[in-house]
Structures are given as C-alpha cells and as structure tokens.
Amino acid sequence: MNKAKITLDIEERPKVAFVCVHNSCRSQIAEALGKRFASDVFDSYSAGTHLKDHINPDAVRLMKQIYGIDMEESQHNKLLEDIPSPDVVITMGCNVQCPMLPCKFREDWGLEDPSGKSDEAFLAIIHEIESKVKVLRERFIVM
C-alpha cells in the first residue's frame, strides 16, 4: 500500500473530507479514525449527499468497543455544504454517483458498505479504514 505522496501548496493544515452517500457509516468511521491517528497532519471531516437520521449503530458500538470513540458524542451527520472546503476528498466507494467536490487531490477507497452485515464484516472495514488513514497520513507533504 505504498502510494505516491500528496503534495499540497497551502499555508494551513490540510482539510480532508471523507465522503459517502449517507454519511452514516464508512465516512463517519474514517473521520473518527482520521482524528485519532492523523490529527497532527490533517483535519478530518465527513459528509454525504443525503443524510440518514443517525450514525449506524453497529459502527457506533464497534468504534466504542475497539477504540473508545463515541461517535454519537463527537460527531453528527453532515451534508457536503456543512463542512469547510476540503483540500483532499476521499470517497468511500459509493456504488452510486459520488459528488464532485472541488479539491486539490481526490481518490476513491472503494470500500464495501458493511451496513446490515455481520460484526466480522464491520471489523474488516474498520481495520481497512484504519490502515488507509495511517497510510494517507504518511503520504502528505505540505509546502
């Protein structure tokens, strides 16, 4: 998973937006893990094009169990217009048309939505997101 460096010519800490359709599961997990593992390098946000009325309860339960992160306390569902303009957009693998959001760098992580699946499926996605966030952190070069 050795990807190319992300070079940004900006004067402040980069803003990374993790985006998926409902902002209820994968993007929320990525925001929480971005804040946990990469807050010294970039600011993490999550957003969606449509909102569910809550964060996925399985994601909330497992993130609390594994990392002690209470996403219901520290985060909420947000639309794209509710977050600051991002420097980097990471889409989760939307299976529908992902939004075009202006940014300096974009990539898709192609993650399967674990909603409605087993804890094992959720854990696999959570650990994959953690790994991708840590790699993303190492890829940044801010000029």
Side-chain angles (χ1 to χ4, degrees):
M1 234 208 281
N2 191 7
K3 294 218 175 187
K5 294 288 185 182
I6 301 168
T7 304
L8 299 173
D9 188 11
I10 57 178
E11 294 183 17
E12 54 193 35
R13 187 183 355 239
K15 294 177 218 49
V16 175
F18 298 101
V19 178
C20 64
V21 177
H22 294 116
N23 189 224
S24 65
C25 190
R26 293 164 293 170
S27 57
Q28 291 282 356
I29 292 167
E31 177 184 353
L33 294 178
K35 288 177 178 175
R36 168 66 57 92
F37 294 113
S39 63
D40 60 327
V41 174
F42 58 80
D43 293 333
S44 297
Y45 301 90
S46 68
T49 55
H50 304 85
L51 296 183
K52 290 205 172 183
D53 60 353
H54 61 278
I55 300 173
N56 183 296
D58 292 320
V60 170
R61 175 177 55 81
L62 290 169
M63 289 293 289
K64 196 180 296 185
Q65 181 181 318
I66 298 166
Y67 302 100
I69 298 171
D70 187 346
M71 293 191 304
E72 289 180 313
E73 186 178 293
S74 61
Q75 294 169 213
H76 64 281
N77 296 43
K78 299 165 289 300
L79 290 169
L80 296 174
E81 57 264 21
D82 297 332
I83 64 171
S85 186
D87 301 297
V88 174
V89 171
I90 305 292
T91 53
M92 299 287 107
C94 300
N95 296 335
V96 295
Q97 185 172 355
C98 282
M100 282 306 296
L101 193 57
C103 61
K104 294 172 177 64
F105 180 85
R106 168 186 312 273
E107 76 181 24
D108 183 73
W109 283 357
L111 300 169
E112 205 172 307
D113 186 357
S115 296
K117 297 183 180 168
S118 68
D119 279 4
E120 290 75 23
F122 262 94
L123 291 170
I125 291 297
I126 288 169
H127 292 305
E128 186 172 355
I129 292 171
E130 177 183 342
S131 175
K132 287 179 175 292
V133 163
K134 288 177 175 178
V135 168
L136 182 65
R137 180 190 179 282
E138 297 305 316
R139 292 172 59 199
F140 271 91
I141 299 172
V142 178
M143 311 287 283

